[in-house]
């Protein structure tokens, strides 16, 4: 996506910052922005998976439920079977991937709309989550690894080293794929990484969860833009028939994307559970799914397929999370909060639809 | 040298005899125009040659690779020209897309074919109809075929854009390819074809030399009126 396409959401972010800061002086404080980073981490990963699905022109309504079930599986294998934390998290990811694989195969094999299959999945995986959690319906997490995902803060020096490594990584992939990134862009990257680094350092340090999310988003962005698989995802989303005639296995691309999307949803569930220090029956429920979809779309990923970027998940999550965080600071009631979030989503989708009809009119 | 030969092609769809004993040859460096009224069987013949479905009778002999430019183009509007040209055949280096190599090859290919575009990194949606058609043809050329089949490449184009595509067809011929082009436009056909094959109701009713035959003769063969 070009900077011009990003402009609406960037202006929106600035507007959110100005409005809420003028209403509550704590909004832009280092402490609150660090909290915001932790609040949107899980949602960003779910949104990241949804971006892939949206790029295909499909939808995944089961993403929230899958994140909840993934977290429940993680909790149960840890508490009941005593597996170490990393293996529990892996179990969650595998659960997500398996579910996505199943849904993807079902969607392509029987040509059922993804809307329907994942809506059925939403119910089924919610049920599975209740079943896995059992009678108590809630598990407290105390594994050091899992809890540490959201409770670890890196010292400024380590954060700075990571930023330098990230910029080097971008430059390196650019060299490898021989698509030059200008020094200006690298500088922009430095600023957009340096600013949060400075903010986090003024508080508790750089949250590990934020580092993980940014890392995943950057990796997935590289997958979309620099690999053959990513190119094929964009092609299928743009014109599936053209992709098929070009010899691309459209079905295989679709199935892989649903598997990847659900795996990222489960990863989001792991982070959410880590932050909550628990898994319960409402994990992955509530407004998580809609906020994640809203994040992807507000960030600039089209609901109509073929257009968008993985970074939009993070940028959109920042907007949605910022609004929600700001309204919480002001103590606004739920009816107002839901109304505002709904209006913002409607606005973003309308902008998307208008952009699409304008490009179709050309 | 014969690159493509069709012998006694027959195809029936229910009650419709779409092809009925059609013979056809395309040799290297030759443009053969396939004309006929709506429903004459032109697209059916192209699809049979491309192997989209089997023939009921007859055979298709190919000497060398073949690519088809379908009437509906099949480009991805959201991708740029380079990405469309290399779709499904991406150049990869160290596991990542080799954009530089693809861009170089694209520039060279377009220059060779005499196709001028505003920018190879422009999304295809920003191109004119003629430019899009040229990209579709270039895409087919990239597969290094010996024979190219074009189904109505100028149907939706204006005068200047049609000229652009016809020039491209002539360029393919000068490179030694055999070209079979379906067209409704007799002006185009007379301008670019070396031979005109007329289908009517699934039968080949005439094979004419555009230098010798009159336009009236072609029209008569298409409609079945006695000239
Ligand atoms: N898949 C199909 N099923 C049934 N009938 C078909 C099919 N494809 C073609 N036909 C019939 O075969 C005949 C020839 O069709 P074809 O598409 O080859 O015509 P054409 O010469 O390409 O016409 P046009 O100029 O309109 O493109 C028509 O009567 C058409 O209805
Ligand atoms: Mg036809």
């Amino acid at each position: 996506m070009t900077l011009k396409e990003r402009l609406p959401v960037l202006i929106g972010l600035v507007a959110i910052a100005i409005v809420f800061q003028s209403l509550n002086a704590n909004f832009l404080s280092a402490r609150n922005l660090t909290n915001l980073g932790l609040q949107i981490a899980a949602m960003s990963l779910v949104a990241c998976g949804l971006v892939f699905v949206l790029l295909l022109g499909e939808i995944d309504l089961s993403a929230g439920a899958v994140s909840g079930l993934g977290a429940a599986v993680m909790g149960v294998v840890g508490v009941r079977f005593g597996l170490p934390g990393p293996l529990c998290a892996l179990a969650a990811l595998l659960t997500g991937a398996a579910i996505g694989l199943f849904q993807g195969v079902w969607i392509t094999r029987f040509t059922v709309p993804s809307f329907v299959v994942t809506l059925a999945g939403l119910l089924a995986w919610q049920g599975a989550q209740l079943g896995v959690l059992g009678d108590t319906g809630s598990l407290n997490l105390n594994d050091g690894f899992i809890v540490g995902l959201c409770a670890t803060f890196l010292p400024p020096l380590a954060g700075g080293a990571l930023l330098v490594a990230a910029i080097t990584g971008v430059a390196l992939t650019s060299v490898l794929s021989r698509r030059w990134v200008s020094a200006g862009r690298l500088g922009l990257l430095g600023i957009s990484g340096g600013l949060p680094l400075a903010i986090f350092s003024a508080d508790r340090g750089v949250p590990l969860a934020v580092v993980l999310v940014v890392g995943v988003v950057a990796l997935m962005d590289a997958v979309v833009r620099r690999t053959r698989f990513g190119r094929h995802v964009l092609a299928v989303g743009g014109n599936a028939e053209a992709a098929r005639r070009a010899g691309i296995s459209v079905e295989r691309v679709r199935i892989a994307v649903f598997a990847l999307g659900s795996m990222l949803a489960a990863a989001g569930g792991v982070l959410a559970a880590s932050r909550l220090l628990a898994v319960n029956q409402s994990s992955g429920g509530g407004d998580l799914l809609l906020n994640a979809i809203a994040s992807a779309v507000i960030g600039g990923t089209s609901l109509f397929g073929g257009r968008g970027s993985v970074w939009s998940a993070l940028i959109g999550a920042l907007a949605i999370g910022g609004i929600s965080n700001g309204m919480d600071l002001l103590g606004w009631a739920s009816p107002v909060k839901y109304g505002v979030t709904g209006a913002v989503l409607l606005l973003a989708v309308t902008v998307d639809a208008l952009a699409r009809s304008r490009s179709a009119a050309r | 040298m014969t690159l493509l030969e069709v012998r006694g092609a027959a195809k029936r769809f229910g009650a419709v005899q779409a092809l009925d004993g059609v013979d056809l040859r395309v040799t290297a460096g030759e443009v053969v125009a396939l004309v006929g009224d709506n429903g004459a069987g032109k697209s059916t013949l192209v699809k049979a040659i491309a192997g989209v479905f089997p023939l009921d009778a007859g055979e298709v002999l190919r000497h060398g690779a073949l690519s088809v430019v379908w009437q509906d183009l099949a480009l991805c509007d959201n991708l740029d020209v380079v990405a469309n040209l290399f779709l499904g055949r991406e150049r990869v280096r160290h596991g990542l897309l080799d954009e530089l190599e693809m861009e170089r090859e694209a520039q060279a290919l377009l220059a060779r074919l005499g196709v001028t575009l505003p920018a190879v990194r422009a999304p295809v949606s920003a191109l004119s109809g003629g430019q899009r058609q040229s990209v579709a043809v270039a895409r087919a050329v990239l597969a290094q075929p010996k024979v190219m089949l074009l189904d109505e490449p100028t149907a939706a184009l204006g005068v200047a854009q049609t000229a652009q595509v016809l020039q491209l067809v002539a360029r393919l011929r000068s490179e030694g390819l055999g070209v079979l082009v379906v067209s409704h436009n007799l002006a185009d056909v007379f301008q670019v074809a070396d031979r005109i094959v007329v289908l009517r109701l699934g039968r080949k009713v005439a094979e004419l030399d555009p230098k010798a035959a009159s336009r009236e003769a072609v029209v008569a063969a298409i409609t079945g009126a006695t000239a």
Side-chain angles (χ1 to χ4, degrees), chain B residues 13 16 18 36-45 71 152 184:
Chain B
F13 293 112
V16 181
D37 220 338
N38 294 113
K42 307 180 294 291
S43 294
T44 305
L45 184 57
Q71 194 167 350
E152 310 230 14
H184 267 122

Side-chain angles (χ1 to χ4, degrees), chain A residues 179 231, chain B residues 76 78-85 120-124:
Chain A
R179 181 111 196 229
R231 178 62 49 85
Chain B
C76 290
N78 58 327
L79 299 179
D80 64 26
V81 172
V82 176
N84 268 287
L85 287 176
V120 289
R121 288 300 178 184
V124 166

Side-chain angles (χ1 to χ4, degrees), chain A:
Chain A
M1 282 171 81
T2 62
L3 199 62
K4 198 171 145 229
E5 288 169 308
R6 286 257 164 74
L7 214 53
V9 65
L10 292 179
I11 291 172
L13 281 178
V14 172
I16 290 167
I18 291 172
V19 168
F20 284 110
Q21 178 66 16
S22 64
L23 292 174
N24 185 320
N26 284 327
F27 184 69
L28 292 183
S29 68
R31 169 148 294 254
N32 189 52
L33 290 179
T34 303
N35 286 343
L36 177 59
L38 286 169
Q39 280 158 9
I40 65 169
M43 182 170 77
S44 302
L45 284 188
V46 179
C48 180
L50 280 162
V51 165
F52 275 89
V53 177
L54 292 178
L55 282 177
L56 281 187
E58 306 275 348
I59 189 72
D60 181 359
L61 297 178
S62 71
V66 169
S67 83
L69 177 57
V73 168
M74 173 181 76
V76 167
V77 294
V79 173
R80 303 256 163 81
F81 305 114
L83 287 187
L87 282 184
C88 299
L90 186 66
L93 298 188
L94 291 179
T95 303
I99 289 174
L101 197 67
F102 172 77
Q103 292 184 153
V105 167
W106 198 286
I107 289 162
T108 53
R109 192 94 185 78
F110 305 115
T111 59
V112 187
S114 54
F115 168 78
V116 179
V117 172
T118 58
L119 185 61
L122 162 68
L123 291 174
W125 314 130
Q126 259 176 1
Q129 181 179 346
L130 299 185
V132 167
L133 286 173
D135 300 334
T136 54
S138 174
L139 288 172
N140 291 328
L141 301 174
N142 46 27
D143 179 89
F145 172 82
I146 292 168
V147 171
L149 290 175
C150 279
T152 305
F153 294 86
L154 305 179
L157 204 61
L162 275 175
L163 182 60
V164 171
I167 295 174
T168 314
V170 169
L172 201 68
T173 56
S174 147
V175 169
L176 284 180
S177 72
R178 298 199 282 180
R179 181 111 196 229
W180 309 128
V181 177
S182 68
R185 281 205 132 201
L186 283 181
L188 201 69
L189 188 68
I191 292 168
S192 51
L195 187 64
L197 179 63
I199 292 168
F200 292 139
S201 301
D203 188 45
R204 286 153 281 177
V206 184
L208 177 62
V210 170
V211 173
L212 290 175
V213 168
V214 172
V216 169
V217 167
L219 183 71
M220 291 301 141
D221 182 62
V223 167
V224 169
R225 295 190 308 123
R226 305 237 186 262
T227 70
R228 183 178 257 164
F229 171 70
R231 178 62 49 85
H232 292 179
V233 170
L234 291 173
V236 172
N239 185 342
E241 185 53 32
R244 180 171 289 121
R245 288 192 208 165
I248 295 169
S249 170
V250 175
E251 283 70 29
R252 218 181 292 169
V253 170
R254 285 214 174 102
I255 291 169
V257 163
F258 278 101
L260 184 62
S262 295
M263 192 174 85
L264 286 167
V270 171
L271 280 193
S274 161
R275 183 147 185 276
L276 191 67
L277 305 176
V279 192
N280 59 39
Q281 294 182 337
S282 62
S283 293
D287 51 9
L288 173 66
L289 170 70
L290 282 181
N291 278 345
I293 295 176
S295 296
V297 175
I298 285 172
T301 294
S302 173
L303 281 172
F304 306 103
R307 283 192 304 119
S309 109
V310 181
W311 287 104
S312 68
L314 198 55
I315 298 171
L318 206 53
I320 287 282
I323 292 170
S324 161
N325 172 297
M327 292 190 296
D328 281 340
L329 276 189
L330 297 172
W332 288 5
S334 285
V336 184
K337 288 178 60 186
Y338 277 120
V340 170
T341 311
V344 170
L345 175 58
L346 189 62
L347 194 70
V349 177
T350 309
V351 168
D352 174 31
L354 288 178
R356 181 172 178 255
S357 62
R358 212 178 309 136
S359 75
R362 254 198 316 228

